[in-house]
Amino acid sequence: MSPVDASHLPQLITSTRALAEACERLAKESFVTVDTEFMRETTYYPRLCLIQMAGENEIVLVDTQAPELDLAPFFALMTNPAVIKVFHAARQDLEIIWQKGGVIPSPLVDTQISAMVCGYGEQIGYESLASGLAHAKIDKSSRFTDWSRRPLSAAQLVYAAADVTHLRVVYEKLSARIARNRREDWVAGEMAALANPRNYETPPQEAWLRIKARLRKPAEKLALMELAAWREREAMTRDVPRGRVLKDDALVEIAMANPKSVAELGQLRAVPNGFERSRAGGDILEALERARSLDPSILPPPEPDRPNVSGALVQLLKVLLQAVADRHQVASRLIGAADEVEQLAARPDDPHPILQGWKGEIYGDLAVKLIRGEVTLGLEKGRVVAVPRPDPARDQSGLRSD
């Protein structure tokens, strides 16, 4: 499929019938590249403005703001088991599709993760991959335009089409490399985790866990839990960002002060003038009253203290992690994050994810041997390698000591 220019723009789909016909054609493809354009600066829910899809010979641009458009054919294509859906940096796209249609695209491939498996580092951008693998130069000038305005300009449509046109070549080349290196299982596990709907749900009673606050007392935590749940529901109902309802620091201050009256609420510095006399002020006092009646046992257990392990050991494990990542040409974060390495150092006998499957094969087993002193780290031609350690039970003559 050749690149799109302003003189050969694909038609913008605005009717359900046209969308159904396009999806019927795309359903015959082995894979379809997908992207979305959206706005979320002034709303709680992202406002879907445009859907882009591409098959081998067709580019489809869908105006999701068309008044008579039903996206049901699109959601059906997203769950068609015969067609692989290809995204780049898919998380926000999947969130929107889940919120709008209640489905997660399947089968699914995220080329950003595929690129990590192929040694392109962490979170490589689409433009870099398109340039390196598809030899394409993408005009970024339309990236931050207002996608909700109509009509869309020719430059916007060209930019939108490019997001799925070159993605086809990127996907094919990365997939070929993954197959050649027999790393399909490496990708599959990451895709399964990405496709978990829990990633894209926001239960109000869990909203407080995203707020950074050093609260020690259970009563303060319960108060923050109820306050954050109230704010989440309010933001959802009004479809405004959470901060438009009340800022995080205000919720934390209210939770710590735990006011019992309108006057006490109005005395807090983080509460806007007059807020305590509004409907929201009354809702806050009711939320605090509910919190006082809750049993602290419903709170999640406190996070365990950071493992008390040697900093030098953790550093050695991180050096080994980077060496293994370099050797296998895979992003180190895909093998394990820093906190996972620390947990492994503290409790090497526990069943950590970093010890399972391909991660255990290339890194975990070596890491445990390093912790137990069975291997050490050395240099070979300027590269860090794991070297078997001599048996300490043998003396210098090579004979075992008594």
Side-chain angles (χ1 to χ4, degrees):
M1 182 167 56
S2 59
V4 173
D5 58 45
S7 63
H8 296 86
L9 288 175
Q11 182 181 1
L12 191 62
I13 288 179
T14 59
S15 72
T16 304
R17 179 177 178 179
L19 176 60
E21 291 172 349
C23 288
E24 184 177 354
R25 294 191 298 272
L26 291 174
K28 299 174 183 178
E29 304 275 359
S30 59
F31 70 88
V32 172
T33 55
V34 190
D35 191 32
T36 65
E37 304 297 341
F38 55 89
M39 306 288 289
R40 69 183 314 164
E41 288 77 9
T42 61
T43 59
Y44 177 89
Y45 296 104
R47 183 179 180 185
L48 182 59
C49 301
L50 188 71
I51 295 173
Q52 307 101 281
M53 296 183 286
E56 184 174 0
N57 299 301
E58 181 177 13
I59 302 169
V60 175
L61 302 182
V62 184
D63 183 357
T64 56
Q65 295 188 169
E68 302 300 324
L69 182 69
D70 185 346
L71 289 176
F74 168 73
F75 297 131
L77 177 63
M78 291 299 98
T79 55
N80 185 330
V83 183
I84 298 171
K85 273 64 69 174
V86 180
F87 296 79
H88 183 82
R91 187 169 291 270
Q92 288 187 311
D93 301 307
L94 299 186
E95 177 189 359
I96 293 173
I97 293 171
W98 173 253
Q99 289 176 349
K100 297 295 183 182
V103 300
I104 297 291
S106 176
L108 166 71
V109 168
D110 184 336
T111 54
Q112 189 173 73
I113 294 176
S114 297
M116 292 170 68
V117 171
C118 293
Y120 283 90
E122 299 180 11
Q123 298 182 327
I124 185 171
Y126 172 63
E127 290 82 7
S128 297
L129 280 177
S131 174
L133 295 177
H135 309 295
K137 184 176 180 180
I138 298 176
D139 181 0
K140 304 177 184 178
S141 60
S142 295
R143 173 183 290 180
F144 299 112
T145 56
D146 186 347
W147 291 97
S148 65
R149 281 189 168 186
R150 294 296 182 270
L152 294 170
S153 69
Q156 285 178 302
L157 296 177
V158 169
Y159 172 85
D163 276 351
V164 288
T165 304
H166 306 302
L167 186 56
R168 180 183 179 92
V169 178
V170 169
Y171 165 72
E172 290 177 324
K173 291 192 174 181
L174 290 177
S175 296
R177 187 175 302 183
I178 288 169
R180 191 163 56 245
N181 294 330
R182 298 180 180 178
R183 292 182 177 179
E184 293 92 342
D185 289 345
W186 296 25
V187 176
E190 299 301 320
M191 297 306 164
L194 183 66
N196 186 344
R198 282 283 295 162
N199 296 329
Y200 314 106
E201 296 174 344
T202 312
Q205 289 302 122
E206 296 179 8
W208 71 287
L209 297 172
R210 296 192 301 270
I211 299 175
K212 295 180 179 179
R214 295 182 177 180
L215 301 179
R216 301 288 184 183
K217 300 176 182 178
E220 294 175 343
K221 295 180 180 179
L222 290 170
L224 183 61
M225 181 176 71
E226 285 298 317
L227 289 170
W230 162 77
R231 184 183 67 171
E232 199 74 17
R233 289 189 291 266
E234 187 77 4
M236 288 176 175
T237 300
R238 291 164 50 187
D239 194 20
V240 297
R242 299 176 184 90
R244 290 276 187 91
V245 178
L246 207 59
K247 302 290 187 184
D248 283 2
D249 58 350
L251 291 184
V252 174
E253 184 176 333
I254 294 169
M256 295 178 69
N258 208 345
K260 296 180 174 63
S261 67
V262 170
E264 290 180 6
L265 179 61
Q267 291 174 357
L268 301 180
R269 289 184 300 176
V271 175
N273 289 334
F275 184 87
E276 72 278 9
R277 296 187 298 274
S278 67
R279 176 187 61 81
D283 291 342
I284 285 175
L285 293 175
E286 291 178 5
L288 292 172
E289 186 62 32
R290 289 194 300 273
R292 295 185 193 104
S293 67
L294 296 176
D295 188 336
S297 65
I298 68 172
L299 291 170
E303 292 187 7
D305 295 332
R306 294 180 68 87
N308 185 20
V309 295
S310 165
L313 173 59
V314 173
Q315 290 304 315
L316 283 175
L317 289 171
K318 290 180 179 179
V319 169
L320 176 63
L321 175 62
Q322 190 58 56
V324 167
D326 291 344
R327 176 186 174 188
H328 291 275
Q329 294 187 323
V330 60
S332 61
R333 188 173 67 84
L334 209 60
I335 304 173
D339 61 335
E340 292 180 286
V341 172
E342 292 178 3
Q343 295 297 330
L344 175 62
R347 293 182 292 276
D349 294 324
D350 287 0
H352 303 283
I354 207 170
L355 298 176
Q356 310 302 316
W358 66 271
K359 298 178 181 181
E361 292 175 7
I362 69 171
Y363 173 73
D365 294 344
L366 270 180
V368 171
K369 289 180 180 179
L370 180 62
I371 294 170
R372 293 173 179 168
E374 298 172 10
V375 300
T376 186
L377 299 183
L379 287 176
E380 183 179 277
K381 297 180 180 180
R383 298 172 61 185
V384 174
V385 294
V387 181
R389 187 177 180 185
D391 189 339
R394 293 181 182 273
D395 61 22
Q396 293 182 351
S397 66
L399 299 176
R400 294 190 68 86
S401 59
D402 295 331

